[in-house]
Short mmCIF file of all heavy atoms in Angstrom, two decimals:
data_model
loop_
_atom_site.label_atom_id
_atom_site.label_comp_id
_atom_site.label_asym_id
_atom_site.label_seq_id
_atom_site.Cartn_x
_atom_site.Cartn_y
_atom_site.Cartn_z
N ASP W 335 -1.88 -5.01 25.50
CA ASP W 335 -2.12 -6.19 24.67
C ASP W 335 -0.83 -6.66 24.01
O ASP W 335 -0.54 -7.87 23.97
CB ASP W 335 -3.18 -5.88 23.62
CG ASP W 335 -4.58 -5.72 24.21
OD1 ASP W 335 -4.79 -6.18 25.34
OD2 ASP W 335 -5.43 -5.11 23.54
N GLU W 336 -0.07 -5.73 23.44
CA GLU W 336 1.21 -6.09 22.81
C GLU W 336 2.19 -6.66 23.83
O GLU W 336 2.94 -7.59 23.54
CB GLU W 336 1.82 -4.86 22.12
CG GLU W 336 1.16 -4.45 20.82
CD GLU W 336 1.51 -5.37 19.67
OE1 GLU W 336 2.28 -6.33 19.87
OE2 GLU W 336 0.99 -5.15 18.57
N ALA W 337 2.16 -6.10 25.04
CA ALA W 337 3.12 -6.52 26.07
C ALA W 337 2.90 -7.97 26.49
O ALA W 337 3.84 -8.65 26.93
CB ALA W 337 3.02 -5.60 27.29
N ARG W 338 1.68 -8.48 26.36
CA ARG W 338 1.42 -9.88 26.71
C ARG W 338 2.21 -10.82 25.82
O ARG W 338 2.62 -11.91 26.26
CB ARG W 338 -0.08 -10.18 26.59
CG ARG W 338 -0.94 -9.47 27.62
CD ARG W 338 -2.37 -10.00 27.58
NE ARG W 338 -3.23 -9.26 28.51
CZ ARG W 338 -3.99 -8.23 28.16
NH1 ARG W 338 -4.02 -7.83 26.89
NH2 ARG W 338 -4.73 -7.60 29.05
N ARG W 339 2.44 -10.43 24.57
CA ARG W 339 3.19 -11.29 23.65
C ARG W 339 4.66 -10.91 23.57
O ARG W 339 5.53 -11.78 23.51
CB ARG W 339 2.57 -11.21 22.24
CG ARG W 339 3.20 -12.17 21.23
CD ARG W 339 2.52 -12.10 19.88
NE ARG W 339 2.87 -10.89 19.16
CZ ARG W 339 3.93 -10.79 18.35
NH1 ARG W 339 4.74 -11.83 18.19
NH2 ARG W 339 4.18 -9.68 17.71
N LEU W 340 4.94 -9.61 23.61
CA LEU W 340 6.30 -9.13 23.35
C LEU W 340 7.04 -8.71 24.61
O LEU W 340 8.23 -8.40 24.54
CB LEU W 340 6.25 -7.93 22.38
CG LEU W 340 5.53 -8.16 21.05
CD1 LEU W 340 5.45 -6.85 20.27
CD2 LEU W 340 6.25 -9.22 20.24
N GLY W 341 6.34 -8.70 25.74
CA GLY W 341 6.95 -8.17 26.95
C GLY W 341 6.78 -6.65 26.97
O GLY W 341 6.54 -6.02 25.95
N ARG W 342 6.92 -6.06 28.15
CA ARG W 342 6.77 -4.61 28.28
C ARG W 342 8.07 -3.94 27.85
O ARG W 342 8.89 -3.52 28.65
CB ARG W 342 6.39 -4.24 29.71
CG ARG W 342 5.96 -2.80 29.88
CD ARG W 342 5.24 -2.58 31.19
NE ARG W 342 3.93 -3.23 31.20
CZ ARG W 342 3.06 -3.14 32.21
NH1 ARG W 342 3.38 -2.42 33.28
NH2 ARG W 342 1.90 -3.75 32.15
N THR W 343 8.26 -3.88 26.54
CA THR W 343 9.53 -3.42 25.97
C THR W 343 9.31 -2.23 25.02
O THR W 343 8.18 -1.92 24.65
CB THR W 343 10.19 -4.56 25.16
OG1 THR W 343 9.32 -4.90 24.06
CG2 THR W 343 10.42 -5.78 26.02
N ALA W 344 10.42 -1.61 24.66
CA ALA W 344 10.36 -0.52 23.69
C ALA W 344 9.87 -1.02 22.33
O ALA W 344 9.23 -0.28 21.58
CB ALA W 344 11.74 0.13 23.56
N TYR W 345 10.16 -2.28 22.02
CA TYR W 345 9.69 -2.87 20.77
C TYR W 345 8.17 -2.97 20.75
O TYR W 345 7.52 -2.65 19.76
CB TYR W 345 10.32 -4.25 20.58
CG TYR W 345 9.94 -4.96 19.30
CD1 TYR W 345 10.23 -4.40 18.06
CD2 TYR W 345 9.30 -6.20 19.34
CE1 TYR W 345 9.88 -5.06 16.89
CE2 TYR W 345 8.97 -6.86 18.17
CZ TYR W 345 9.25 -6.29 16.95
OH TYR W 345 8.91 -6.94 15.79
N ALA W 346 7.59 -3.39 21.88
CA ALA W 346 6.13 -3.46 21.99
C ALA W 346 5.52 -2.07 21.85
O ALA W 346 4.46 -1.90 21.23
CB ALA W 346 5.73 -4.08 23.32
N ALA W 347 6.20 -1.07 22.39
CA ALA W 347 5.71 0.31 22.29
C ALA W 347 5.72 0.78 20.84
O ALA W 347 4.76 1.41 20.38
CB ALA W 347 6.57 1.24 23.15
N GLU W 348 6.79 0.47 20.12
CA GLU W 348 6.86 0.89 18.72
C GLU W 348 5.79 0.18 17.89
O GLU W 348 5.14 0.81 17.03
CB GLU W 348 8.24 0.59 18.14
CG GLU W 348 8.38 1.05 16.70
CD GLU W 348 9.76 0.78 16.13
OE1 GLU W 348 10.22 -0.38 16.23
OE2 GLU W 348 10.37 1.72 15.60
N ARG W 349 5.59 -1.11 18.13
CA ARG W 349 4.56 -1.84 17.40
C ARG W 349 3.17 -1.24 17.68
O ARG W 349 2.32 -1.17 16.79
CB ARG W 349 4.58 -3.32 17.80
CG ARG W 349 5.82 -4.07 17.31
CD ARG W 349 5.71 -4.38 15.82
NE ARG W 349 4.62 -5.29 15.56
CZ ARG W 349 4.74 -6.62 15.51
NH1 ARG W 349 5.92 -7.18 15.69
NH2 ARG W 349 3.69 -7.38 15.25
N THR W 350 2.96 -0.82 18.92
CA THR W 350 1.68 -0.21 19.30
C THR W 350 1.46 1.08 18.53
O THR W 350 0.38 1.30 17.95
CB THR W 350 1.65 0.08 20.81
OG1 THR W 350 1.76 -1.15 21.53
CG2 THR W 350 0.37 0.80 21.19
N ILE W 351 2.46 1.96 18.50
CA ILE W 351 2.34 3.25 17.81
C ILE W 351 2.11 3.03 16.32
O ILE W 351 1.23 3.65 15.69
CB ILE W 351 3.59 4.11 18.03
CG1 ILE W 351 3.77 4.44 19.51
CG2 ILE W 351 3.51 5.39 17.20
CD1 ILE W 351 2.65 5.23 20.13
N THR W 352 2.87 2.12 15.71
CA THR W 352 2.73 1.85 14.28
C THR W 352 1.34 1.30 13.95
O THR W 352 0.71 1.73 12.98
CB THR W 352 3.81 0.84 13.83
OG1 THR W 352 5.10 1.41 14.06
CG2 THR W 352 3.66 0.53 12.35
#
Side-chain angles (χ1 to χ4, degrees):
D335 289 341
E336 285 285 359
R338 292 189 184 96
R339 185 177 74 88
L340 305 175
R342 191 164 290 183
T343 63
Y345 181 60
E348 182 179 52
R349 290 284 295 268
T350 298
I351 298 298
T352 299

